[in-house]
Amino acid sequence: MTLRFYDTASAEVRDFVPLEPGKASVYYCGATVQGMPHVGHIRSAIAFDQLTRWLTYRGYRVTVVRNVTDIDDKILAKSEASFAPGFRPEPGEVREEEWWALAYRYEQEFLKAYDTLGVSRPTYEPRATGHIPEMHALIQQLIDRGHAYPALDDSGDVYFDVRSWDKYGSLTRQNIDDMQGAQDADPRGKKDARDFALWKGSKEGEPTTASWASPWGAGRPGWHLECSAMVTKYLGTEFDIHGGGLDLRFPHHENEMAQSQAAGHGFANFWMHNGMVTYQGEKMSKSIGNTVSPAEMLELAPPRVVRYYLGQAHYRSILDYRPTSLEEAAAAVERIDGFQAKAAARLGTDFGFVAGNFGPSTESVQAFSDAMDDDLNVPRALAALHETVRAGNTALAEGDDEAARHARNAVMIMTRALGLDAVASSDAANTKEAAALGVLVEAQLVARAEARAAKDWAASDAIRDTLKAAGVAVEDSAEGATWSLQRD
């Protein structure tokens, strides 16, 4: 199957044809570092990590850029609030914290969350504050081409003239006259309330450290402009894929596309957007108390389980969180790990395989690959993975070591492609312990089978009870006994 992705701009699934053969360029929106990462941030990062891994698996040399928005109204407001006399810090907040210190501290929290859940570091991770000259150059281009203008009230703001660009609204299929005014600056200096800020002039009371000199007066960049300037520097004026959360389509991505194309840039060939995370069918909201953070998830389950849960749905669909979600994800991960541990106990840890050569497992691996090629259909890919686990368990029970080895190798490739083997956590470090447990349990099952063959039911039951007391569940079938770790 040809590699295909859904493109938001054209509203269709299209064949992926890279601009440069053998290479793929990806930009996805990172964090505005004003606070702790929430589950939506992490779901998006995992979705585009899966994309990156699959492009790499398919043989592309991938360049990934993920930005850090480290200057923003919300960052400044949060810093200012920390200096107020009555400020009472919530957990994780700091009293009298400069905006740049606050931004850096939360940037580290995002990196820690990404690393914990196995999200690969991008090729480049530029900060907005490090690219002011590039932003000035882009603004001047837009002014020269008649698509931007300095504010009419001499405030130092510079705005994009949305009516100068006849394609404005095309990404989200909106009519400009139906849009509300842009909320990023006071409308008094605009030609049209919908014009958005490219440069924001300094205002009284704002810290001087949050202001840079410019041809239009001291100030700071607008949010939308930052991404256009950074992606152009690292990936050029035209690149393969631009990604981000569905909530960023408007106004952020709409504005990015308009200003970049108005500057004469081809910009993104594909626009990919991941869906939101809900709580039992409702939008997560602090005001109604139905939020769950990545940190809270990691208190309830190991990182591999959290990654499995956040990455199990199709990236474009809504991912709904329920109190049982992590338990269900844990059961799925345990099935995979249980097979791998039993396979290691029987076959050893020397895999000795060549990627793409899976023998009897070729059909299931092909099903996995076809699913991932089809707009990253992870649910179908996971179905192929679990079917291979079941086939591998059957092969082990029947003593077919060759089939079990092929299944084990296929499972390893699939988990690698999904990033389930890359989680930097204590549970990922337990591979040797799991293999050792598998050896011990399998030895007990051999002794139990010998006792049953000799009709020594007391000895057989004693072994089963001992394993049960240790948290190991044994199930008998026509193919023999299988085991798994009991769930709490």
Side-chain angles (χ1 to χ4, degrees):
M1 179 180 288
T2 302
L3 185 57
R4 295 162 59 80
F5 300 128
Y6 180 84
D7 172 33
T8 304
S10 62
E12 62 181 0
V13 177
R14 299 194 287 115
D15 290 352
F16 177 70
V17 180
L19 295 171
E20 190 173 349
K23 297 182 180 180
S25 47
V26 179
Y27 180 95
Y28 72 92
C29 287
T32 298
V33 285
Q34 58 168 318
M36 295 292 287
H38 61 64
V39 68
H41 293 133
I42 304 304
R43 190 211 174 170
S44 183
I46 289 175
F48 290 103
D49 185 58
Q50 289 175 333
L51 168 66
T52 301
R53 290 175 183 277
W54 190 245
L55 287 169
T56 302
Y57 178 86
R58 294 284 265 106
Y60 292 100
R61 180 180 173 184
V62 187
T63 301
V64 181
V65 180
R66 180 182 68 208
N67 73 298
V68 177
T69 298
D70 60 342
I71 181 67
D72 179 79
D73 289 347
K74 294 178 181 179
I75 294 172
L76 295 179
K78 198 161 189 177
S79 171
E80 182 181 2
S82 74
F83 286 89
F87 177 70
R88 295 181 179 178
E90 294 182 0
E93 293 184 331
V94 176
R95 187 183 300 278
E96 297 187 352
E97 187 172 29
E98 297 287 352
W99 67 269
W100 46 266
L102 180 149
Y104 182 76
R105 180 166 60 83
Y106 283 125
E107 180 185 340
Q108 301 312 301
E109 292 293 340
F110 273 86
L111 287 174
K112 183 167 68 175
Y114 294 149
D115 289 346
T116 299
L117 292 170
V119 176
S120 305
R121 292 288 180 97
T123 314
Y124 308 108
E125 192 162 21
R127 297 188 183 106
T129 54
H131 298 78
I132 302 299
E134 290 84 356
M135 296 174 197
H136 288 169
L138 180 55
I139 293 171
Q140 191 60 56
Q141 273 185 289
L142 290 168
I143 292 174
D144 293 343
R145 294 171 71 96
H147 297 296
Y149 61 94
L152 305 179
D153 61 356
D154 297 323
S155 61
D157 294 346
V158 180
Y159 297 114
F160 182 84
D161 183 351
V162 295
R163 292 194 180 276
S164 74
W165 184 245
D166 60 6
K167 297 179 182 178
Y168 189 71
S170 62
L171 180 65
T172 50
R173 293 165 191 79
Q174 296 185 79
N175 186 308
I176 189 170
D177 292 318
D178 297 330
M179 298 179 187
Q180 295 180 339
Q183 302 296 312
D184 58 353
D186 194 310
R188 65 187 180 193
K190 299 180 178 182
K191 294 179 180 178
D192 187 301
R194 301 164 187 82
D195 294 346
F196 58 87
L198 303 173
W199 187 256
K200 306 178 79 168
S202 296
K203 296 177 177 60
E204 186 176 352
E206 292 182 344
T208 57
T209 53
S211 181
W212 289 263
S214 85
W216 315 282
R220 52 192 169 84
W223 175 36
H224 315 300
L225 182 86
E226 295 174 347
C227 283
S228 289
M230 287 186 282
V231 68
T232 300
K233 177 170 182 175
Y234 293 95
L235 296 180
T237 58
E238 191 171 5
F239 55 98
D240 293 311
I241 297 170
H242 191 311
L246 192 65
D247 58 325
L248 296 178
R249 284 189 310 161
F250 188 86
H252 186 47
H253 289 167
E254 187 75 68
N255 292 351
E256 263 193 82
M257 187 172 83
Q259 68 198 7
S260 298
Q261 292 182 348
H265 304 164
F267 214 55
N269 191 23
F270 278 82
W271 287 87
M272 297 177 67
H273 292 93
N274 65 276
M276 301 294 98
V277 183
T278 58
Y279 190 101
Q280 298 191 99
E282 296 184 355
K283 181 180 178 180
M284 289 190 182
S285 171
K286 288 185 178 179
S287 62
I288 61 176
N290 69 343
T291 62
V292 57
S293 70
E296 290 169 329
M297 287 186 180
L298 289 166
E299 289 177 357
L300 298 171
R304 285 178 68 245
V305 170
V306 175
R307 180 179 174 110
Y308 185 99
Y309 164 68
L310 291 175
Q312 67 182 339
H314 191 282
Y315 75 94
R316 287 194 283 124
S317 68
I318 291 173
L319 176 64
D320 192 44
Y321 180 83
R322 304 179 309 281
T324 58
S325 292
L326 292 177
E327 294 178 9
E328 293 164 2
V333 171
E334 285 172 10
R335 287 194 293 272
I336 297 169
D337 290 351
F339 164 66
Q340 290 178 315
K342 287 184 285 185
R346 173 78 66 81
L347 307 171
T349 57
D350 182 13
F351 286 77
F353 69 93
V354 177
N357 181 18
F358 302 112
S361 297
T362 297
E363 184 176 345
S364 63
V365 173
Q366 189 62 52
F368 178 90
S369 297
D370 287 347
M372 294 297 286
D373 281 350
D374 185 16
D375 194 29
L376 296 184
N377 195 323
V378 171
R380 274 176 45 206
L382 285 173
L385 168 60
H386 285 289
E387 178 57 37
T388 306
V389 167
R390 285 190 287 272
N393 279 325
T394 299
L396 288 172
E398 294 175 348
D400 188 344
D401 287 358
E402 182 179 2
R405 181 174 289 106
H406 285 305
R408 190 261 303 269
N409 292 351
V411 166
M412 191 171 82
I413 285 296
M414 294 179 195
T415 54
R416 278 183 179 177
L418 293 171
L420 292 173
D421 70 328
V423 180
S425 62
S426 57
D427 64 309
N430 286 337
T431 304
K432 290 184 178 180
E433 288 84 346
L437 174 64
V439 170
L440 295 174
V441 172
E442 289 292 338
Q444 289 295 301
L445 291 182
V446 169
R448 180 171 176 269
E450 291 173 350
R452 287 166 65 87
K455 300 186 184 304
D456 187 349
W457 307 118
S460 171
D461 290 346
I463 292 172
R464 181 173 188 144
D465 291 344
T466 298
L467 291 172
K468 182 178 180 180
V472 178
V474 177
E475 293 185 10
D476 293 310
S477 68
E479 291 78 22
T482 60
W483 65 274
S484 62
L485 294 177
Q486 292 177 331
R487 311 238 14 259
D488 293 335

